[in-house]
């Protein structure tokens, strides 16, 4: 049994309870993925029981492909040494350097794939 990737010690649950990902395939919104459980990290991949965001319809995705790590109102994308890579826009994420995401940031699990994810409601609404 493969161990799940462990987040860094500074990780905290997301600040905004309505934080979610939109999963798009071309111009179609396929699903909304809530990231509201009180977790410090969310693993994206094909491995049932390990991946928090299970990707079952794409063989190019690794078992543990990427992780989203929250820290208050920030969200970081880690590539977990995936075979095809993790991309924010056209730029590949270096496995040694997590990429800080912003509200509305778009990322994909592999180059030129039709499925992409968009971060929504990262920041808390202004009081």
């Amino acid at each position: 049994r493969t161990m799940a990737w462990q987040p860094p010690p500074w990780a905290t649950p997301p600040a905004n309870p309505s934080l979610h990902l939109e999963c798009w395939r071309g111009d179609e919104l396929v699903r909304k993925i809530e990231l509201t459980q009180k977790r410090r990290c969310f693993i994206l991949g094909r491995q049932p029981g390990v991946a928090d965001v299970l990707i079952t319809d794409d063989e190019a995705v690794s078992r543990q492909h990427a992780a989203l790590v929250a820290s208050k109102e920030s969200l970081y994308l880690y590539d977990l040494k995936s075979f095809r890579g993790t991309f924010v826009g056209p730029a590949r994420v270096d496995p040694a350097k997590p990429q800080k995401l912003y509200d509305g940031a778009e990322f994909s699990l592999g180059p030129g794939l039709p499925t992409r994810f968009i971060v929504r409601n990262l920041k808390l609404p202004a009081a």
Side-chain angles (χ1 to χ4, degrees), residues 24 77 87-90 101-102 104-108 116-119:
W24 290 81
L77 178 64
F87 293 78
V88 176
L101 298 177
Y102 53 88
E106 199 171 296
F107 67 91
S108 62
R116 62 194 200 285
F117 298 91
I118 302 176
V119 177

Side-chain angles (χ1 to χ4, degrees), residues 80-116:
L80 303 182
K81 299 184 178 126
S82 65
F83 182 69
R84 298 279 303 275
T86 303
F87 293 78
V88 176
R92 188 170 184 154
V93 176
D94 182 336
K97 285 190 233 142
Q99 173 82 41
K100 186 173 183 177
L101 298 177
Y102 53 88
D103 209 20
E106 199 171 296
F107 67 91
S108 62
L109 306 179
L113 294 180
T115 303
R116 62 194 200 285

